[in-house]
Amino acid sequence: MSEGVEWALHSCVNLAWSGPDRAVSAARLAAWHALPPAYLNKQLQALARAGILTSTPGPRGGFRLARPLAAISLMDVVAAVEGPDEAFRCAEIRQQGPGGGAPDGAGAGAGAGVGDAAADAADCAIAHAMIRAELAWRRALAAQNLDEIRQQAERQAPRAPERLRAWLAAQ
């Protein structure tokens, strides 16, 4: 997973702390954590395309949350930044090299031949394990929302929202 996911998650919490009526530019959000503004802007634009943020152009423009943190899951942010594709893609290397083809006994009597990649992939123990792990990971991310993250962050650093608002107001 790219560091852009971490940056996007922090930016969402920071936008919540900045206040509902305040648009914050990508440059200001980036400066708060000493991040490269252009790269953070790409992550924020991805969040806007996904409907997580809204973007207002112009010198007084910036980004705002499009919906409450409680309505944004960690998976929403990951999918917006990383895309919806699976993390693991079975390349069927079992079919390559001198050991290529169906393993001994695989597909026997089921009509699955050596060239039947779909049937072979369905029988791949590694692909099955990786698919199960990714599904569990995605479900765990979907089950946690950004408001829960905000609350935990505030327990760990109770003055963080106040510090951010003061810093934004001073600029």
Side-chain angles (χ1 to χ4, degrees), residues 77-134:
V77 174
V78 170
V81 173
E82 295 289 315
D85 294 338
E86 295 86 12
F88 177 80
R89 289 176 201 82
C90 183
E92 271 305 314
I93 67 167
R94 300 178 305 158
Q95 303 300 323
Q96 302 169 18
D104 292 343
V114 172
D116 192 348
D120 291 341
D123 294 334
C124 179
I126 292 170
H128 278 283
M130 297 302 286
I131 290 167
R132 280 192 312 272
E134 183 164 350

Side-chain angles (χ1 to χ4, degrees), residues 6 17 19 34 45 72-73 75 83-84 111 138 142 163 168:
E6 177 186 3
W17 285 342
Q45 290 295 335
I72 305 168
S73 75
M75 190 65 228
R138 287 177 179 268
R163 285 181 42 233
L168 288 170

Side-chain angles (χ1 to χ4, degrees), residues 19-103:
D21 297 327
R22 175 180 227 131
V24 183
S25 71
R28 296 293 295 145
L29 286 168
W32 180 246
H33 290 293
L35 302 173
Y39 186 63
L40 179 62
N41 188 56
K42 289 180 185 179
Q43 313 317 311
L44 299 174
Q45 290 295 335
L47 294 176
R49 283 190 299 276
I52 295 169
L53 302 181
T54 60
S55 175
T56 305
R60 302 287 238 170
F63 293 91
R64 289 186 177 94
L65 291 169
R67 54 189 199 247
L69 287 182
I72 305 168
S73 75
L74 272 67
M75 190 65 228
D76 292 335
V77 174
V78 170
V81 173
E82 295 289 315
D85 294 338
E86 295 86 12
F88 177 80
R89 289 176 201 82
C90 183
E92 271 305 314
I93 67 167
R94 300 178 305 158
Q95 303 300 323
Q96 302 169 18

Side-chain angles (χ1 to χ4, degrees), residues 12-13 16-17 65 67-73 145-148 150:
C12 287
V13 172
W17 285 342
L65 291 169
R67 54 189 199 247
L69 287 182
I72 305 168
S73 75
N145 69 56
L146 284 178
D147 197 51
E148 295 164 332
R150 179 198 56 78

